[in-house]
Amino acid sequence: MIDSLVCSVGDKLKTVIQDEVDLLVGVTSEIEKLSRTFTLIQAVLEDAESRRVKDKAVTIWLENVKDVAYDVDDILDESTTEARRRQAPDEGDVSCFSFLVTCFLFPVTGFNNVKLRHEIGSRIKEVRGRLDDVEKEKNLLGLRVDSGERERVDSEVRRGEIRERETSCLLDQPFIVGRKDLKNRVVDLLLGGSSREVNEVPFVISIVGMGGLGKTTLAQLIYNDKIVEGHFHKRMWVCVSNDFDVKRITKLIIESADESSCEDLSLALLQSRLSQKLQAKRFLLVLDDVWSHDSKKWDKLRGPFQAGAPGSRIIVTTRSEDVASRMGSTHMQKLDVLSDDDCWLVFSRRALEHRSAEERSDLEEIGRQIVNRCGGVPLAAKTIGSAMCSRKTRRQWELVLESEIWNSGDILGGVLPALLLSYHDLPAALKQCFAYCSIFPKDWEIEKDTIVKLWVAQGFICSKGSQDMEETGGLYFDDLLRRSLLQDAVVDDGKNIVSCKMHDLVHDLAQSVAGSDFSLVQIGKPASLNFNNIRHSFFARDEVYDEANEEAYILATLYKAHKLRTLFLDSRISMVPRMSFHYWRRLRALDLSYTSIKKLSPTVGHLKHLRFLDLSRTGIEELPEEVCNCLNLQTLRLNWCWKLKKLPGGMKKMINLRHLEFELCVNLKHLPQGIGRLTSLRTVSEFIVGGSNEGCKCGELKHLNHLQGSLLITGLDKNRSRDEAREAELNKKQHLHTLSFNYKKDYDELLDEEVKKIEDVLEFLQPHTNLKELAIQYYGGSTLPKWIEDPVFSHLVRMTLSCCWECIQLPGFGKLPSLKYLEIEGMREVRKVGVEFSGVDNNDGSGCVVSFPKLETLFFEHMRNWEEWELRGGVGEVMPSLLQLEVKWCPKLKELPTNLPPLLQKLTLQISNEGMLSSGGTLPLLPSLKHLIIACSYKLTSFPCGWLRQFKALNTLEIKFCGQLQSLPDEELQQLTMLQELIIHGCHLLKERYGDGGEDRDKIVQIPNISFL
């Protein structure tokens, strides 16, 4: 990654020169000389990188180049920062170049801080001398400037643009070859086995093989097999990795079983809870990537598994047969390397997928020779195949085949040559991003948002035109995923990638290319590291280490690592040391999240280079005012800091701040004045509108036009000023996609004039038409703003109105052309939902042609005075796309519209008024309904005759908390041939009659899945 570092520093030097090229020639020549020397060194780096494997002298030379480059980078950054700090309001910008000029020519005059000027000037002269020595040494080593076809090909790849990922690659289902028979064998073992094995609990099956053979992928395919899924009552998946911590693994098993988080309890309580969850249940548990040889830990972990029902199974994936044996494996399935033909299928699927038949034929011979060198390891074949898809010509493929890297695996710590070739295929900018991922432990879930912000903090990413650095970084991340250097992508509901992991072998590669810059420090384990050269470090706690010695160990180690640029402390570290940060002035990223820290030292203000600071989920109550001296800070994370009461008053100085995150900081009541000056802000978790004497006013949003993603505005009840709302200029925030307006929960009785002000304020807070999601909560006006139903909001897909108590009429949401999700809750003054809701302008039916054309989900809840619902549109259809409807706690609603959309698939009726389901009521016909939920109808004694019969497509019927319901329409249920599941919850009369042993159980026995809760 040295070439990318040198390239980055060289670009910064050129930028400095271009800023003030005509200012004082003497200084210009000094900086230009530095730039030229870096250019000469950069020209031979590819040759040096290829020789470092076998030539120790070249390795040392490259380390010297790297040290000088880091020092120049620090000097340029400090100069830029100092120039920015000294910027006077009336004197314009003081550039980095101008400051350097003063350091060179006027070391004892000019700016007030003489010592700093003299120090920087001396450091530049010293580093220039070191760089000259390095440049001379390259000639002694015989390093040559690359030329020829091979180098041109490499250059195209290394310097090329980052390719955006192909969606088809990211969304592929697991692709596996050569393992079908093995998969079927394991599935048979899960479903059957001998009579002794069936009754043995737990029954352990191990999948054993070297790294990269696809053990995890095979386990995933088995785990998600439909037959397997239906056979077990509970399925759980835990990635164990190196740290076989019994308490941690037990907690993860519980969370996997519940699909929700579990509180941090003692091991005894956790195991008791797990035992209860598994009681008499046939379960499948996958323990993936187990390394520990300690059978005592396994014995301690397995205790709760005895509670499971016969037929329960555990799958273990491991590289070691000894580990499999110590875990009591009943069956051990060994994973061998793939045949060359199977490896070819893996390779060609990536390398040749979009090529013509002629191209495939021309490249197949060379491709098979490349595949033969992958050693039958599917990960190697997949990764090199991803790299080859960008090489278009036969000659480019031949150069890969002829590369010396194929012979270097034994020298680079056993890293597969195919993976190393994939690394060399990366563009220079992407190499350092990939290497940076090695800072995390193996099997770490790498969050996309976090790693991108860390890359930006380290200066790995530069903005391109109008594209933000974070957007560019997102493309980098996607490209690493597309190249199979990242895997196991987790996506959110919007199909956006949230996180990934790195395969163990790829992690080994990242550590190998990162070299001595990166270190994972295991507290309590001896480390043979030269901490003087470490620049990025992650401190992790060994599970058996004595907590009393943690603080002393961390401090003793950190004081050796004075060049640190990144520092992470593991959340399991119980005692965060009281650090004086002036010793680590080069820090760019500091992550103390989840640790026990309660107070941040004021010396944090010495961290001039700091760009990323994460204190999330800590006991921090307030930040020292000195943190505002971190002028380069880009990301400040304070999420889930429940005790945080205020932010520093001087934050308006932090003009480079891009992301201010403080989600769920419930005790933070206002923001400091001057937030509006932070015009670089992209993210603000919450904009808290202050009162008359404290905090921010709405108007401070005016210049924050780079805000993007989501924004929550709270405390709007404190703002009754129309002018402030107008000044916010939300209609210019074109990058905001999600917007939430929150007022206080309870209002005193308001005068009409005050209500009018509240309505006017929201009218003036009209957002940009790019908005996709809008939520309004506890609004005190009687009417909603006109813009809320304007079809110009053509991107709006989600709308939520919650507890707008005084609103008497719903807006014409039917006009919104893209609305897919609509939730209306707590509108207690609404009595009728009529044609105005559909967007019809008048009673003659004119208006929009199709009302709610894209609406798929509609929720009504806690509408206590709602009596009538008229579903009528204009000249066309109403809600033609509606799939899900929920009506909950609307006690006065007499009936549903008879013309509900025929495509409706899920209907939930949670009503205390049994009249809606009475035999005298008119009920809608819903031929496509698949899922019906009837809940909380306390007075309902029976279903309307013939109602259920119409739901020919019904697959699932749920009846909840209908305590007076005495019977089911038996004959109608028997006619529903598609019905697969009947769930009855909290209906004691039905349970007595239709439950196990009940008198009418035989009348519903045809339904495959019946459960009473």
Side-chain angles (χ1 to χ4, degrees):
M1 54 179 278
I2 296 175
D3 56 347
S4 52
L5 173 62
V6 171
C7 178
S8 173
V9 174
D11 288 343
K12 290 178 182 178
L13 283 168
K14 291 173 184 175
T15 301
V16 169
I17 295 169
Q18 291 168 0
D19 282 347
E20 300 283 351
V21 70
D22 295 325
L23 185 69
L24 298 176
V25 177
V27 177
T28 304
S29 62
E30 293 284 352
I31 301 175
E32 284 181 340
K33 186 175 181 180
L34 276 175
S35 179
R36 284 196 304 270
T37 307
F38 268 111
T39 301
L40 291 173
I41 290 172
Q42 189 176 345
V44 302
L45 282 180
E46 289 188 8
D47 182 41
E49 288 280 8
S50 66
R51 287 173 52 183
R52 72 180 301 175
V53 175
K54 299 179 180 179
D55 193 330
K56 184 69 173 176
V58 172
T59 301
I60 295 173
W61 181 83
L62 284 169
E63 288 296 312
N64 291 336
V65 172
K66 181 178 65 178
D67 287 342
V68 175
Y70 274 128
D71 288 346
V72 172
D73 188 42
D74 286 340
I75 293 171
L76 294 177
D77 197 46
E78 288 177 32
S79 301
T80 303
T81 304
E82 186 62 20
R84 188 176 291 129
R85 188 181 71 81
R86 295 171 180 275
Q87 182 176 324
D90 300 325
E91 296 179 9
D93 290 346
V94 179
S95 70
C96 171
F97 186 89
S98 301
F99 181 71
L100 290 175
V101 166
T102 309
C103 293
F104 267 111
L105 298 185
F106 310 107
V108 293
T109 60
F111 293 129
N112 294 331
N113 196 329
V114 174
K115 182 180 179 182
L116 179 60
R117 289 199 314 275
H118 180 72
E119 177 188 337
I120 289 182
S122 298
R123 286 169 61 193
I124 289 180
K125 292 175 183 177
E126 184 268 337
V127 83
R128 188 190 64 207
R130 287 165 53 202
L131 191 62
D132 288 343
D133 292 340
V134 167
E135 199 275 331
K136 293 173 185 175
E137 289 169 1
K138 79 175 175 60
N139 299 324
L140 296 175
L141 292 170
L143 297 175
R144 60 186 178 84
V145 176
D146 294 319
S147 59
E149 185 177 4
R150 180 187 303 277
E151 288 71 29
R152 284 197 299 273
V153 170
D154 288 343
S155 179
E156 288 173 7
V157 175
R158 294 177 188 223
R159 309 299 177 196
E161 293 296 319
I162 301 298
R163 297 185 298 275
E164 294 192 32
R165 63 174 174 85
E166 298 178 21
T167 306
S168 60
C169 293
L170 287 179
L171 298 181
D172 274 351
Q173 296 299 315
F175 177 73
I176 190 167
V177 297
R179 309 294 191 201
K180 184 176 180 180
D181 290 343
L182 181 56
K183 180 204 169 186
N184 291 338
R185 283 203 304 273
V186 176
V187 170
D188 288 343
L189 289 169
L190 293 178
L191 303 179
S194 67
S195 58
R196 179 187 66 81
E197 291 170 341
V198 167
N199 294 319
E200 184 178 347
V201 181
F203 176 92
V204 182
I205 303 167
S206 290
I207 301 174
V208 182
M210 64 175 278
L213 290 183
K215 299 183 295 297
T216 299
T217 302
L218 177 60
Q220 287 171 336
L221 285 173
I222 296 167
Y223 184 84
N224 291 301
D225 183 274
K226 291 298 181 184
I227 298 176
V228 171
E229 186 176 347
H231 181 72
F232 293 98
H233 300 124
K234 281 192 177 294
R235 294 178 306 135
M236 299 153 289
W237 180 291
V238 173
C239 179
V240 178
S241 194
N242 293 355
D243 182 15
F244 201 103
D245 184 322
V246 176
K247 179 180 175 181
R248 179 184 71 89
I249 297 170
T250 304
K251 185 170 180 284
L252 290 173
I253 293 172
I254 294 172
E255 291 177 340
S256 180
D258 290 347
E259 297 184 352
S260 62
S261 60
C262 170
E263 60 267 38
D264 191 14
L265 305 172
S266 67
L267 177 60
L269 288 175
L270 286 172
Q271 291 201 320
S272 175
R273 179 177 293 188
L274 179 57
S275 180
Q276 292 173 10
K277 292 185 179 300
L278 300 182
Q279 186 68 42
K281 297 279 198 315
R282 186 167 59 242
F283 68 84
L284 170 63
L285 169 63
V286 177
L287 297 174
D288 185 39
D289 195 24
V290 180
W291 289 73
S292 176
H293 293 259
D294 190 342
S295 55
K296 292 180 180 178
K297 291 181 179 179
W298 166 242
D299 291 338
K300 186 182 294 186
L301 177 69
R302 68 189 296 176
F305 304 150
Q306 310 297 325
S312 296
R313 299 288 187 262
I314 296 175
I315 295 177
V316 173
T317 71
T318 179
R319 298 187 186 187
S320 167
E321 292 185 26
D322 180 61
V323 170
S325 177
R326 289 174 182 270
M327 296 186 74
S329 297
T330 311
H331 290 274
M332 191 181 302
Q333 303 294 326
K334 295 182 181 179
L335 219 57
D336 293 323
V337 297
L338 293 180
S339 67
D340 287 344
D341 285 340
D342 284 338
C343 247
W344 167 252
L345 292 176
V346 176
F347 171 87
S348 60
R349 185 170 183 265
R350 300 234 170 204
L352 300 175
E353 186 173 13
H354 300 294
R355 299 181 192 259
S356 66
E358 183 180 354
E359 288 177 309
R360 286 170 174 264
S361 176
D362 183 47
L363 297 173
E364 181 170 350
E365 179 187 354
I366 304 169
R368 284 189 176 273
Q369 293 181 61
I370 292 173
V371 166
N372 292 346
R373 297 192 175 191
C374 290
V377 179
L379 175 65
K382 181 177 72 171
T383 307
I384 192 65
S386 297
M388 296 306 292
C389 71
S390 65
R391 299 186 182 253
K392 304 301 182 184
T393 68
R394 181 183 179 89
R395 179 55 184 156
Q396 289 174 332
W397 280 47
E398 288 173 344
L399 292 173
V400 172
L401 182 61
E402 297 165 4
S403 173
E404 293 183 5
I405 291 177
W406 292 110
N407 303 316
S408 64
D410 56 333
I411 301 174
L412 289 178
V415 172
L416 288 171
L419 298 183
L420 192 56
L421 278 168
S422 298
Y423 167 75
H424 283 298
D425 183 56
L426 295 175
L430 204 51
K431 284 181 178 176
Q432 53 190 348
C433 294
F434 169 73
Y436 193 85
C437 294
S438 70
I439 192 173
F440 301 109
K442 288 183 176 180
D443 287 313
W444 191 266
E445 190 168 313
I446 302 174
E447 295 180 359
K448 181 177 181 179
D449 181 67
T450 298
I451 193 65
V452 166
K453 288 172 180 173
L454 287 168
W455 288 341
V456 172
Q458 297 299 330
F460 297 162
I461 299 172
C462 298
S463 56
K464 296 180 179 180
S466 60
Q467 190 176 66
D468 266 358
M469 292 184 288
E470 292 83 356
E471 189 175 354
T472 303
L475 294 178
Y476 285 16
F477 187 94
D478 294 346
D479 201 35
L480 288 174
L481 180 61
R482 189 196 62 80
R483 294 169 182 267
S484 302
L485 294 172
L486 293 175
Q487 63 180 35
D488 298 340
V490 176
V491 297
D492 60 17
D493 293 339
K495 304 301 182 183
N496 302 301
I497 299 169
V498 175
S499 65
C500 285
K501 288 187 177 182
M502 186 175 269
H503 191 280
D504 285 358
L505 291 182
V506 179
H507 191 275
D508 291 341
L509 168 65
Q511 285 185 318
S512 175
V513 299
S516 60
D517 281 3
F518 293 78
S519 73
L520 174 62
V521 180
Q522 288 279 2
I523 299 174
K525 290 186 177 180
S528 57
L529 298 170
N530 182 1
F531 288 99
N532 289 324
N533 292 327
I534 290 175
R535 290 179 169 84
H536 309 278
S537 189
F538 189 114
F539 279 72
R541 181 180 178 272
D542 185 75
E543 60 176 298
V544 298
Y545 189 63
D546 181 8
E547 295 182 1
N549 297 321
E550 275 184 354
E551 183 176 11
Y553 181 93
I554 294 172
L555 281 177
T557 306
L558 281 176
Y559 281 130
K560 301 175 187 175
H562 62 280
K563 295 181 180 179
L564 274 181
R565 289 178 163 226
T566 304
L567 175 60
F568 284 78
L569 291 188
D570 191 344
S571 61
R572 289 177 297 169
I573 294 174
S574 59
M575 180 61 72
V576 176
R578 295 178 292 275
M579 295 187 288
S580 180
F581 291 108
H582 70 269
Y583 195 76
W584 301 283
R585 292 174 182 264
R586 304 185 186 194
L587 274 176
R588 264 81 170 165
L590 176 61
D591 190 334
L592 302 175
S593 61
Y594 291 83
T595 64
S596 61
I597 189 170
K598 292 181 173 59
K599 189 174 182 180
L600 191 65
S601 169
T603 58
V604 71
H606 292 293
L607 302 181
K608 294 182 179 181
H609 300 287
L610 192 66
R611 285 162 166 80
F612 180 95
L613 176 60
D614 194 346
L615 298 167
S616 298
R617 291 184 183 262
T618 62
I620 292 283
E621 294 186 14
E622 61 179 306
L623 297 177
E625 196 67 32
E626 287 80 1
V627 77
C628 301
N629 294 330
C630 301
L631 300 184
N632 283 313
L633 195 65
Q634 298 168 339
T635 299
L636 176 59
R637 282 184 165 177
L638 299 161
N639 299 316
W640 293 80
C641 291
W642 299 289
K643 296 183 179 180
L644 184 69
K645 296 178 180 178
K646 68 176 184 177
L647 295 174
M651 287 191 70
K652 59 188 177 184
K653 297 188 296 184
M654 304 171 73
I655 57 175
N656 285 307
L657 196 64
R658 300 169 70 87
H659 307 283
L660 177 57
E661 304 175 20
F662 50 93
E663 292 182 8
L664 294 173
C665 292
V666 294
N667 285 309
L668 185 63
K669 302 304 182 184
H670 64 271
L671 299 179
Q673 294 180 1
I675 288 291
R677 298 186 188 182
L678 307 183
T679 56
S680 295
L681 277 174
R682 267 68 176 167
T683 306
V684 177
S685 298
E686 181 180 344
F687 189 90
I688 307 172
V689 179
S692 57
N693 298 320
E694 62 180 5
C696 295
K697 303 294 187 293
C698 269
E700 294 219 37
L701 284 164
K702 179 175 183 177
H703 298 296
L704 304 185
N705 290 330
H706 292 295
L707 287 176
Q708 54 190 234
S710 61
L711 176 64
L712 167 63
I713 303 178
T714 61
L716 279 170
D717 48 277
K718 299 174 186 175
N719 179 39
R720 304 288 170 84
S721 169
R722 303 175 180 90
D723 293 337
E724 280 287 336
R726 184 188 292 110
E727 191 174 353
E729 295 186 352
L730 286 185
N731 60 342
K732 294 184 179 180
K733 314 295 186 277
Q734 59 179 317
H735 304 295
L736 277 180
H737 293 151
T738 301
L739 184 60
S740 300
F741 296 115
N742 276 25
Y743 297 74
K744 73 176 182 179
K745 188 171 183 179
D746 297 309
Y747 284 94
D748 298 326
E749 188 171 341
L750 298 174
L751 300 174
D752 290 344
E753 182 181 351
E754 293 174 310
V755 172
K756 184 65 170 63
K757 287 182 180 179
I758 290 173
E759 294 171 350
D760 288 346
V761 165
L762 190 56
E763 190 71 57
F764 285 122
L765 289 175
Q766 177 176 341
H768 194 277
T769 55
N770 284 346
L771 196 70
K772 294 181 179 179
E773 299 184 15
L774 175 65
I776 301 175
Q777 186 173 30
Y778 299 120
Y779 172 64
S782 59
T783 60
L784 287 158
K786 296 177 182 178
W787 55 261
I788 203 171
E789 62 180 38
D790 194 332
V792 72
F793 286 92
S794 58
H795 301 283
L796 195 63
V797 296
R798 186 181 181 98
M799 175 84 70
T800 302
L801 300 180
S802 178
C803 301
C804 300
W805 309 119
E806 306 303 322
C807 287
I808 58 177
Q809 180 175 297
L810 295 179
F813 289 135
K815 300 176 186 179
L816 298 173
S818 301
L819 191 65
K820 292 185 177 182
Y821 178 100
L822 176 58
E823 181 176 353
I824 300 171
E825 185 262 333
M827 306 279 278
R828 61 190 181 191
E829 295 302 318
V830 172
R831 286 171 168 74
K832 179 180 178 180
V833 176
V835 292
E836 74 290 336
F837 180 55
S838 299
V840 177
D841 294 332
N842 50 53
N843 291 329
D844 64 7
S846 64
C848 47
V849 175
V850 179
S851 298
F852 298 101
K854 299 279 184 70
L855 190 67
E856 296 176 355
T857 303
L858 176 60
F859 292 165
F860 289 107
E861 186 171 355
H862 289 288
M863 308 274 284
R864 69 184 188 188
N865 289 310
W866 182 25
E867 299 177 355
E868 183 181 352
W869 183 8
E870 179 184 0
L871 192 62
R872 183 162 66 90
V875 297
E877 298 177 276
V878 182
M879 303 182 187
S881 304
L882 191 67
L883 299 176
Q884 181 177 356
L885 171 64
E886 290 192 11
V887 180
K888 298 181 177 180
W889 303 112
C890 302
K892 295 184 179 181
L893 184 62
K894 300 170 185 176
E895 61 182 7
L896 296 176
T898 57
N899 60 333
L900 283 177
L903 293 180
L904 190 69
Q905 295 182 6
K906 183 175 181 180
L907 174 62
T908 300
L909 298 176
Q910 186 167 312
I911 47 177
S912 56
N913 174 20
E914 78 282 2
M916 187 182 294
L917 293 178
S918 66
S919 57
T922 304
L923 297 169
L925 298 175
L926 300 170
S928 301
L929 195 69
K930 295 182 179 180
H931 194 159
L932 175 62
I933 302 174
I934 304 295
C936 300
S937 188
Y938 302 119
K939 298 180 181 180
L940 183 70
T941 58
S942 63
F943 281 99
C945 181
W947 186 52
L948 284 179
R949 185 182 295 119
Q950 64 158 314
F951 303 138
K952 301 296 184 183
L954 195 65
N955 180 273
T956 302
L957 174 61
E958 296 184 51
I959 305 171
K960 302 179 178 181
F961 305 109
C962 297
Q964 300 301 314
L965 190 59
Q966 301 173 11
S967 65
L968 297 173
D970 308 331
E971 294 182 5
E972 294 181 35
L973 289 177
Q974 291 172 8
Q975 295 176 28
L976 300 179
T977 57
M978 302 294 290
L979 189 62
Q980 298 293 308
E981 187 172 22
L982 175 63
I983 301 171
I984 298 177
H985 189 186
C987 305
H988 65 281
L989 295 178
L990 293 183
K991 185 174 182 180
E992 290 175 5
R993 184 168 180 177
Y994 297 95
D996 291 336
E999 58 180 306
D1000 288 334
R1001 175 71 176 191
D1002 60 318
K1003 295 181 180 180
I1004 61 171
V1005 72
Q1006 78 280 359
I1007 303 173
N1009 299 300
I1010 302 173
S1011 59
F1012 288 87
L1013 303 173

